């Protein structure tokens, strides 16, 4: 496929301010944590935050005048859900994140639990979602899952979780040095051409469906961009956007290389 050699200006989606009472509360909570941490020089930590919540936390830190002494940590390098770690220079830092290894004892030929099975079983323990980070299922360890959680939640998992779905399992609380280096996820990169960088056109290419069907998904409230509801088929999309389509999956728009010979926009993307 031919590509234009003309340089393409990169547009980026700007920060979207808090839109709900919950988001405004989160920002105030982060500001309070920051004031406590840096006025008293003691480490403070948030709960696990989604991508959207991490953006709000950065904005709250900026509003509080905090430019250094903080980081985001999810327990492993490619974590999506992360804890905000506020660690002033002379504070005693101790990460609240623990990792629990789950090992299934499935019968021969039985299907192993999927991500949703593990998450459902964890929610069955009445854990709050913000107490849980990523659930990692390494491809080279079938039947094994690693759950990143805050310390109290990790202890509860070890005491009370005995199955995922219909499969029995055992739990083991790992020390920080025992968490393995997970192999990088193998994602198939795909490319397509679209008539414009409208949400309905890009979504149709990703889902391999018609623009009309993509518009119906948007109108039904089943589409999010960067964890925010998307309700306009003509909304512009940008390189780096993440699209969540309920019932269809999640997609990342990784690059906009240029135009094809037919003057259509080339997009490159993958499915999580």
């Amino acid at each position: 496929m031919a590509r234009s050699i003309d340089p393409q200006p990169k547009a980026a989606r700007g920060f979207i301010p808090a839109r709900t009472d919950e988001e405004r509360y989160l920002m105030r909570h982060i500001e309070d944590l920051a004031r406590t941490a840096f006025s008293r020089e003691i480490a403070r930590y948030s709960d696990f935050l989604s991508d959207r919540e991490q953006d709000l936390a950065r904005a709250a830190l900026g509003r509080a005048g905090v430019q250094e002494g903080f980081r985001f940590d999810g327990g492993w390098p490619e974590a999506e859900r992360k804890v905000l770690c506020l660690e002033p220079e002379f504070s005693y830092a101790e990460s609240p994140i623990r990792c629990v290894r789950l090992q299934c004892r499935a019968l021969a030929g039985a299907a192993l639990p999927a991500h949703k099975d593990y998450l459902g079983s964890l929610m069955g323990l009445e854990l709050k979602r913000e107490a849980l980070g990523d659930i990692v299922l390494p491809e080279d360890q079938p039947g094994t899952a690693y759950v990143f959680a805050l310390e109290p939640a990790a202890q509860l998992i070890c005491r009370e979780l005995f199955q995922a779905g219909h499969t029995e399992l055992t739990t083991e609380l790992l020390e920080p040095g025992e968490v393995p280096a997970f192999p990088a996820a193998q994602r198939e990169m795909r490319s397509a051409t679209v008539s414009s960088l409208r949400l309905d056109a890009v979504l149709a290419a990703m889902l391999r469906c018609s623009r009309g069907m993509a518009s119906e998904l948007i109108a039904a409230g089943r589409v999010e961009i960067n964890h925010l509801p998307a309700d306009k088929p003509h909304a512009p999309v940008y390189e780096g956007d993440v699209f969540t389509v309920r019932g269809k999956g999640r997609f990342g728009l990784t690059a906009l290389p240029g135009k094809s010979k037919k003057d259509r926009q080339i997009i490159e993307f993958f499915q999580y």
Side-chain angles (χ1 to χ4, degrees):
M1 182 180 294
R3 298 182 179 179
S4 169
I5 60 173
D6 296 331
Q8 300 292 316
K10 288 188 177 181
R13 189 176 298 279
F15 171 71
I16 300 175
R19 296 167 29 135
T20 65
D21 288 342
E22 290 79 7
E23 290 189 344
R24 285 185 281 272
Y25 172 81
L26 172 65
M27 293 187 71
R28 290 195 298 269
H29 174 61
I30 296 299
E31 288 185 74
D32 289 342
L33 277 181
R35 292 191 190 98
T36 300
F38 292 98
S39 65
R40 299 171 58 186
E41 293 191 343
I42 55 177
R44 282 291 181 263
Y45 302 91
S46 72
D47 293 333
F48 279 99
L49 305 173
S50 68
D51 290 345
R52 165 65 176 165
E53 290 167 337
Q54 291 168 45
D55 286 343
L56 292 169
R58 290 186 184 92
L61 292 174
R63 198 160 65 183
V66 177
Q67 298 181 349
E68 57 184 17
F70 70 90
R71 62 189 175 87
F72 290 90
D73 182 17
W76 68 295
E78 295 187 33
E80 295 180 14
R81 296 178 61 80
K82 297 179 181 179
V83 168
L84 169 62
C85 307
L86 296 159
E87 298 168 337
E89 184 177 1
F90 299 108
S91 64
Y92 176 72
E94 186 176 11
S95 175
I97 302 172
R98 299 300 301 273
C99 180
V100 180
R101 179 164 54 202
L102 312 179
Q103 293 184 297
C104 293
R105 296 183 292 191
L107 298 174
L112 293 170
H115 186 281
K116 64 178 181 180
D117 299 315
Y118 289 110
L119 182 58
S121 295
L122 292 166
M123 293 294 96
L125 300 179
E126 298 185 358
L127 288 169
K128 293 183 178 179
R129 188 65 181 97
E130 55 265 30
L132 298 173
D134 290 1
I135 303 172
V136 182
L137 280 64
E139 293 183 0
D140 60 343
Q141 299 181 53
T144 301
Y146 294 84
V147 179
F148 292 88
L150 299 180
E151 174 83 31
Q155 296 288 352
L156 179 66
I157 292 167
C158 289
R159 290 197 308 269
E160 300 191 15
L161 187 65
F162 302 106
Q163 66 179 45
H166 300 290
T167 304
E168 293 184 355
L169 54 79
T170 59
T171 62
E172 180 183 3
L173 185 63
L174 302 181
E175 295 299 325
E178 296 176 330
V179 179
F182 304 116
Q186 298 298 317
R187 297 186 175 119
E188 179 187 358
M189 299 300 301
R190 294 158 52 188
S191 65
T193 62
V194 294
S195 57
S196 69
L197 291 175
R198 284 173 43 128
L199 175 58
D200 56 353
V202 171
L203 202 61
M206 290 177 168
L207 297 176
R208 296 177 178 173
C209 67
S210 67
R211 286 179 67 166
M213 183 175 294
S215 295
E216 290 177 7
L217 291 170
I218 297 165
R222 294 174 59 182
V223 179
E224 294 181 351
I225 302 177
N226 301 336
H227 304 282
L228 288 172
D231 55 6
K232 296 180 176 61
H234 61 271
V237 303
Y238 301 93
E239 183 177 322
D241 281 348
V242 175
F243 306 84
T244 303
V245 186
R246 192 165 66 249
K248 302 290 185 180
R250 195 152 61 103
F251 303 83
L253 182 59
T254 58
L256 304 172
K259 296 291 187 71
S260 70
K261 284 185 176 180
K262 295 183 178 180
D263 201 36
R264 288 171 60 86
Q265 176 65 56
I266 302 169
I267 63 172
E268 292 183 353
F269 62 95
F270 66 87
Q271 184 169 2
Y272 285 86

